[in-house]
Amino acid sequence: ELIELMRKGQCFVIQSVMPSSEASANTDPTVFHKRYLKQVRILGEGHFGKVTLYLYDPANDGKGEQVAVKSLKQENDKISDGWMKEIEILKSLYHSNIVKYKGCCTELGGQVVQLIMEYLPLGSLKDYLPKRNLPLSHCLMFAQQICQGMNYLHSKRYVHRDLAARNVLVENDSLVKIGDFGLTKYIPEGEIYYRVREDGDSPVFWYAIECLKESKFSFSSDVWSFGVTLYEILTRCDRRQSPPDVCHHRPLFQEAQGQMTVVILIKLLEQGLRLPCPKDSPHEVKILMERCWSADPSERPDFESLIKKFQSLHN
Ligand code: ADP
Ligand code: MG
């Protein structure tokens, strides 16, 4: 119960309000002290964030705990707001297919925090899949686990908005977890979509058609992105078949130099064009993937029904 309270209580507040009360901070397992964090190596970098592997070693005997630490690349008030939300969201999620929050680390004075999560040694699916030659049934098992994590996320009324192989982490050969909640938004009860206002770079090749046209993000637009993620898994994240690459090799993209990618992408999708079905996929998987990419969001399956489908497929 105490830990639960501490999780809810903001560790950065505890530290900034009472900088001298080391005693209380020492007993809070979610407070990480900067001086005990020893950098090991950089794990990955996205647009706004950077994730680094550290050894948290308060005893200074080299036996500490490995943790993944996410921080913002640049500090900026507008982004910083979303950053605190990302931390709050991850803090509130408990599921075996979602990366575990461990705590945070504050600069003296309570300034911007680093997010501490569990370290997943095998990296993202994008790092992992090309190196193995996973059989289809194994791929489908990963797909099902992603659906389980997404189903949980949706039950808490969050839309992820950035589901892609690069954001799915691998714990071991039989367990994957969803990570990167940087674009996640809460959808209030009774509403069905979230309209984004910020522009800037977005993972457009994973976006549903209504996201590209009207910036409407919903539970069903996550299902579309899941379809693209499934495509990535079935191509074993082969770079030459990556969604951006496949699109850029289409004649329309090559002719229309200078035109905005999004404009062409919308045109192609409106013509009914979709990513090709990966080679060894069974007919049922092909149908399922295509349903995730229905132009009409209400025709897309939800994650609960996808879980059942995968259960029957890989058993
Ligand atoms: P961004 O918001 O910048 O995209 P991510 O959270 O997606 O940041 O992390 C970027 C990359 O760092 C991931 O694609 C993955 O390769 C690596 N990474 C992130 N979190 C972890 C973790 N907990 N364990 C291992 N690697 C991770
Ligand atoms: Mg990412």
Side-chain angles (χ1 to χ4, degrees):
E1 216 181 81
L2 187 61
I3 292 181
E4 181 59 33
L5 276 175
M6 283 173 170
R7 281 210 176 99
K8 284 185 182 150
Q10 298 171 322
C11 46
F12 37 90
V13 173
I14 295 175
Q15 229 193 352
S16 63
V17 173
M18 312 180 289
S20 60
S21 72
E22 280 275 299
S24 74
N26 277 341
T27 56
D28 182 346
T30 70
V31 173
F32 286 74
H33 296 283
K34 198 171 177 157
R35 61 181 181 279
Y36 301 141
L37 280 169
K38 298 176 181 164
Q39 177 162 345
V40 181
R41 65 187 165 93
I42 292 180
L43 293 170
E45 246 176 80
H47 274 301
F48 308 114
K50 180 172 135 190
V51 180
T52 310
L53 172 63
Y54 281 92
L55 188 69
Y56 191 66
D57 195 19
N60 199 23
D61 58 4
K63 285 191 190 138
E65 167 191 24
Q66 287 186 313
V67 288
V69 178
K70 185 163 180 174
S71 54
L72 285 185
K73 281 209 262 194
Q74 277 171 333
E75 276 158 40
N76 158 327
D77 282 350
K78 203 175 148 219
I79 300 176
S80 192
D81 221 34
W83 173 232
M84 295 316 289
K85 283 201 193 97
E86 176 173 355
I87 297 176
E88 285 307 312
I89 289 172
L90 189 59
K91 215 188 234 184
S92 73
L93 303 174
Y94 306 89
H95 190 273
S96 49
N97 300 112
I98 290 185
V99 66
K100 271 203 196 74
Y101 167 84
K102 278 184 164 294
C104 33
C105 174
T106 323
E107 305 279 334
L108 274 178
Q111 264 292 310
V112 171
V113 223
Q114 288 171 300
L115 165 64
I116 320 277
M117 357 166 220
E118 62 175 334
Y119 166 57
L120 275 69
L122 298 174
S124 78
L125 275 180
K126 232 183 138 178
D127 308 315
Y128 173 88
L129 284 178
K131 291 182 207 144
R132 335 255 150 165
N133 194 10
L134 285 197
L136 178 75
S137 62
H138 207 134
C139 292
L140 298 179
M141 181 188 77
F142 282 165
Q144 188 189 328
Q145 292 178 0
I146 296 169
C147 291
Q148 278 158 351
M150 288 302 296
N151 191 39
Y152 169 79
L153 191 69
H154 284 186
S155 76
K156 309 268 278 184
R157 302 201 60 84
Y158 288 118
V159 280
H160 189 283
R161 293 178 51 211
D162 200 8
L163 184 57
R166 61 180 175 275
N167 291 329
V168 177
L169 304 169
V170 184
E171 163 111 21
N172 57 47
D173 292 327
S174 51
L175 181 60
V176 293
K177 300 185 176 190
I178 300 165
D180 196 356
F181 292 87
L183 290 177
T184 302
K185 300 284 174 193
Y186 179 74
I187 298 199
E189 200 88 48
E191 288 181 35
I192 51 170
Y193 63 81
Y194 176 89
R195 212 184 272 264
V196 271
R197 307 224 174 269
E198 81 256 40
D199 23 45
D201 301 280
S202 40
V204 290
F205 297 101
W206 281 256
Y207 276 6
I209 190 160
E210 72 277 7
C211 304
L212 297 168
K213 287 171 72 177
E214 302 159 83
S215 303
K216 278 181 173 175
F217 289 83
S218 61
F219 299 119
S220 348
S221 61
D222 271 349
V223 172
W224 178 299
S225 307
F226 168 74
V228 183
T229 308
L230 178 60
Y231 165 92
E232 291 183 280
I233 295 176
L234 294 174
T235 58
R236 299 349 184 235
C237 287
D238 173 15
R239 276 175 204 283
R240 288 157 305 176
Q241 296 181 67
S242 78
D245 259 49
V246 168
C247 291
H248 283 295
H249 284 108
R250 294 209 67 91
L252 196 56
F253 262 94
Q254 287 170 341
E255 285 157 24
Q257 275 176 1
Q259 241 195 61
M260 271 174 58
T261 306
V262 176
V263 176
I264 309 167
L265 195 53
I266 292 173
K267 224 183 248 176
L268 291 174
L269 293 173
E270 276 185 332
Q271 289 168 5
L273 273 166
R274 298 292 186 267
L275 287 164
C277 189
K279 268 197 279 30
D280 69 343
S281 351
H283 185 67
E284 291 101 310
V285 173
K286 182 176 190 242
I287 302 288
L288 192 150
M289 207 182 294
E290 278 164 2
R291 280 186 55 215
C292 293
W293 298 330
S294 300
D296 177 356
S298 69
E299 282 172 18
R300 295 173 207 153
D302 59 13
F303 282 108
E304 204 160 304
S305 68
L306 284 169
I307 293 170
K308 292 195 186 110
K309 265 272 151 50
F310 282 113
Q311 258 156 5
S312 67
L313 275 172
H314 75 80
N315 286 333

